[in-house]
Amino acid sequence: MLNQIRRILALARLIILDGLRRHALIGLVLFAFAGTTGGLLFFDFIPRDIGRASNDFIFSIIWLTGFIFLLFHAVQVMAWDNDRGALHTYLARPISRTEYALALYAGLAALLLALNIILGTLGWAVLTFIKGSVAAVYFQHLSLPFFLLAGTGLFWMQLVILAVILLFSSAVRGSFPVLLLTLCYYFICSGLPVVREALNKKLVEGSKQSLDALLKWLTAIFPDFSWLDFKTLAASSDQTPVAAQLTLPFALSTLYIVIVMWLACIIYERRDLQ
Amino acid sequence: MIARVIILTGFILLYGFLFSAQEQKALVRDVTLDIALPVNFHKITSGYLKQLTAEMLFIQTSVFLGGVRPGTPPESYAEALGNNFEVMTSLYPRFIDPYYVCQGFLPHISQEAAAKANTILETGIAALPDDLILRFFHGSNFFLAMNEPLKGAKAFSEAAKLTNAPPLFGHLAALLSAQGGDIAAGLISLKIMLAGEKDEVVRARYQQEIVIFEQAIEVSKALEAYTNKHGVAPESLDQLVPAFIPQLPEIKDLFTLNYTPPTLTLQRPDKKKLSQQH
């Protein structure tokens, strides 16, 4: 077991170093830097609710950066790219396919965490600066614990998407199909709650139950990411959620990641590499 | 080689000329406000960026309002304005800025626009039920822009129940009830206000208004008796004297007693008209 963990960590380290060497990643960080500091201009367009809007802007930039990372870096690294032959090379070493998949996930998750920490720190600095430069009435609340909670929620969402990318990569060859599938998955996840809300308003009682049940279980497959969206709490006096409201989404999404990863590992083990 | 340079220079000059023409066209073109796509579309496509989408739409709309050419009829953009405010507030109901800008621009355009503004404000009131300013906007639109004093009275009466509500809300509920023809409801509100008021000056004013409301209710009772007897409301209040009421009360200064068969209302005198008369 210890040896397996060592092998996973060693490969994860390679993935991290490979990621850090890429100029595209450095470009992404610079883009995010520019975007985050853009918050200083953005708040100028908001007359009253400056705290709320600036906070949303910062988290949106961090989310967008993470999304670009997932779609254009993680997908490429994970996809079974025959030209690169990376997977074949790794598997020539004494490492199992499951270990390969777990290492890939761990390495990319570590890179994502680093990205979030860098941007989160910069975002916090920008928010503190904005708060100090406007009258208190326009930026009343800024809470570090809720900022960290919002950041953790965002990171967890990214981990779920990363796990799904791993699953798609295990089953589909080529980075472009994986990218398209991931985008479809994301839009279904964000669209399903809207469909449920709209149908709840329109449907008559009789036909409601079966369709409701179907949509409910579809949401189990395509989760509602808004459960992990706590960004509005960081800079507003919105009602604080109770402990169950906080722990349940994290526990649920952690289990989701485990199940998806498990499936991905099973497919990796059985997939023909030729 | 020289020929290529000349051709390239020609292309650059032509591009510059066309660019200037395009810019000139853009300068004289009226600024327009595009109607935002439905809220569900934004919810699906923006996902985590839902709040930012609402804020960007707010900025786009504010920039448009800041750049409208003088003389542009507000009716030309009222529909797009109402739709965009509705989309952004549905996307992000707790974001306060759209309600203020909406109140500043929409209700004054037309009665329909005011009704739309109130629908938008109701989204805000549902999200921020303790916000007194939103309540004030909502209630005042009913009587200032929609000629619906009774709905305004109801809105202010609801708002007056909030713990931090100023006495103004209860007072407005009473005045609007009377203005809409429900003088009895106005009287009840005024008596409640009097019971809770400690300031002697304000109490005196309430008492003065209660006397007027009670006089108006006497007239209202006489009207009811006349209608019951004749099966139809009188054409003027003078027909009530002396069979149904000994004499009509002299109500002036604070209120005027208005009668449009079959409705009796108490209204604040129009200060503008009064000052013009003087």
Side-chain angles (χ1 to χ4, degrees), chain A residues 122-228:
Chain A
L122 182 67
W124 177 260
V126 169
L127 284 179
T128 314
F129 176 79
I130 293 173
K131 191 174 192 299
S133 53
V134 298
V137 69
Y138 301 122
F139 200 146
Q140 292 179 353
H141 307 272
L142 185 60
S143 153
L144 184 59
F146 281 122
F147 185 87
L148 293 174
L149 174 71
T152 313
L154 188 148
F155 181 55
W156 239 252
M157 281 187 234
Q158 291 169 337
L159 288 183
V160 171
I161 297 174
L162 191 62
V164 171
I165 292 174
L166 190 74
L167 178 68
F168 289 149
S169 303
S170 67
V172 181
R173 288 171 199 268
S175 58
F176 190 64
V178 174
L179 188 143
L180 287 183
L181 283 171
T182 311
L183 273 178
C184 290
Y185 168 83
Y186 177 70
F187 285 128
I188 294 172
C189 287
S190 55
L192 212 49
V194 182
V195 174
R196 287 182 74 185
E197 194 186 321
L199 281 176
N200 271 337
K201 284 179 190 165
K202 284 181 185 167
L203 284 178
V204 288
E205 285 302 314
S207 58
K208 207 174 178 179
Q209 284 182 343
S210 55
L211 195 58
D212 245 12
L214 175 71
L215 292 175
K216 188 175 87 177
W217 289 108
L218 270 177
T219 312
I221 300 168
F222 300 98
D224 182 355
F225 287 124
S226 66
W227 293 341
L228 287 164

Side-chain angles (χ1 to χ4, degrees), chain B residues 212-232:
Chain B
I212 296 170
F213 273 55
E214 282 171 342
Q215 288 173 336
I217 279 180
E218 287 305 314
V219 180
S220 180
K221 280 180 187 167
L223 270 173
E224 204 180 322
Y226 182 100
T227 311
N228 285 341
K229 189 176 178 186
H230 298 283
V232 63

Side-chain angles (χ1 to χ4, degrees), chain A residues 12-65:
Chain A
R13 193 167 160 265
L14 279 179
I15 305 275
I16 295 169
L17 290 175
D18 178 49
L20 291 177
R21 271 194 308 112
R22 286 175 183 240
H23 295 309
L25 264 187
I26 298 165
L28 189 62
V29 172
L30 289 177
F31 157 78
F33 262 122
T36 312
T37 43
L40 295 171
L41 295 173
F42 177 78
F43 89 90
D44 228 18
F45 288 94
I46 306 292
R48 295 191 67 86
D49 225 344
I50 293 172
R52 191 185 283 275
S54 308
N55 178 64
D56 293 335
F57 183 81
I58 296 292
F59 274 102
S60 298
I61 289 290
I62 298 174
W63 166 255
L64 205 61
T65 312

